[in-house]
Amino acid sequence: MNKLFTGSFAILFLLTSCSKENEVTVPMDVQKQLESFEWSPIVSAKGTANEQLKHKPKDCEKDNVYTFTFAESANKFTVNRGKELCGDDKLTFESLIFSEQQHRGFTYDKGKKSIKFADSDPYQSYEVQLDADQLILISRNNNPLAYVLPIEYYFQGKRTAATK
């Protein structure tokens, strides 16, 4: 009976410790950097690999501002739309991510350094690359049956009033 109790306790301990390892948390430095800026889309002058496409923001997107909010209950990505609305243009970052919403929930995969938006295609994620006040989100589709080129979205950060 003692061996059964000890074995059960060991299994329970392993299961609870494994679940803590699999929790997805955003490293504090990444979290602080994403939250510290208001991100505006830009056209990048950087070169890119041939297997990736650069997104060129349309005029209606250029005055949009995006912000990240991290909270225990839910992470939120928000768009504050500019004066010119994109309307029915489905090829904009705004339309692809937000449709007609202002917020989108997301999770962050620390190992892959990527964002997965709530209710999105299970194969779709966005790799996060940060360099000071520049952000690149690289759209990836890992569906083995779909051949979709990665798309790079570039953003320039402007410090928020709370972090100045």
Side-chain angles (χ1 to χ4, degrees):
M1 183 70 161
N2 192 20
K3 287 182 183 179
L4 178 63
F5 178 73
T6 305
S8 298
F9 180 74
I11 290 173
L12 182 62
F13 176 76
L14 287 173
L15 288 175
T16 57
S17 65
C18 287
S19 67
K20 287 180 183 174
E21 288 175 13
N22 292 331
E23 287 178 10
V24 178
T25 57
V26 182
M28 283 305 287
D29 57 333
V30 172
Q31 181 176 336
K32 284 181 182 178
Q33 197 167 357
L34 288 173
E35 277 187 322
S36 296
F37 292 96
E38 294 176 331
W39 300 98
S40 299
I42 60 170
V43 176
S44 175
K46 291 182 179 180
T48 186
N50 289 336
E51 66 274 0
Q52 292 179 266
L53 302 172
K54 282 188 196 180
H55 175 71
K56 182 178 179 193
K58 304 210 173 175
D59 289 340
C60 63
E61 291 183 282
K62 289 182 180 176
D63 59 350
N64 287 352
V65 176
Y66 300 92
T67 55
F68 289 89
T69 307
F70 293 89
E72 283 186 31
S73 57
N75 299 326
K76 227 178 358 178
F77 187 50
T78 305
V79 59
N80 293 315
R81 290 178 176 87
K83 292 178 183 175
E84 187 179 344
L85 300 178
C86 291
D88 293 337
D89 193 341
K90 302 292 183 206
L91 298 177
T92 62
F93 180 76
E94 173 186 331
S95 296
L96 291 170
I97 301 299
F98 295 98
S99 298
E100 296 190 18
Q101 303 169 25
Q102 186 175 2
H103 307 285
R104 187 86 188 265
F106 70 91
T107 56
Y108 182 86
D109 185 321
K110 187 165 89 174
K112 295 179 181 177
K113 297 181 181 177
S114 67
I115 289 175
K116 187 156 196 57
F117 290 107
D119 303 323
S120 65
D121 178 337
Y123 295 104
Q124 186 73 35
S125 65
Y126 291 81
E127 179 184 337
V128 176
Q129 292 183 3
L130 286 164
D131 183 14
D133 63 349
Q134 295 208 338
L135 166 66
I136 304 172
L137 294 178
I138 303 173
S139 169
R140 302 223 186 261
N141 189 315
N142 297 317
N143 185 343
L145 300 176
Y147 180 71
V148 180
L149 289 175
I151 301 174
E152 295 180 349
Y153 298 93
Y154 292 83
F155 300 89
Q156 180 69 48
K158 179 180 173 189
R159 287 230 180 251
T160 61
T163 59
K164 284 185 179 179

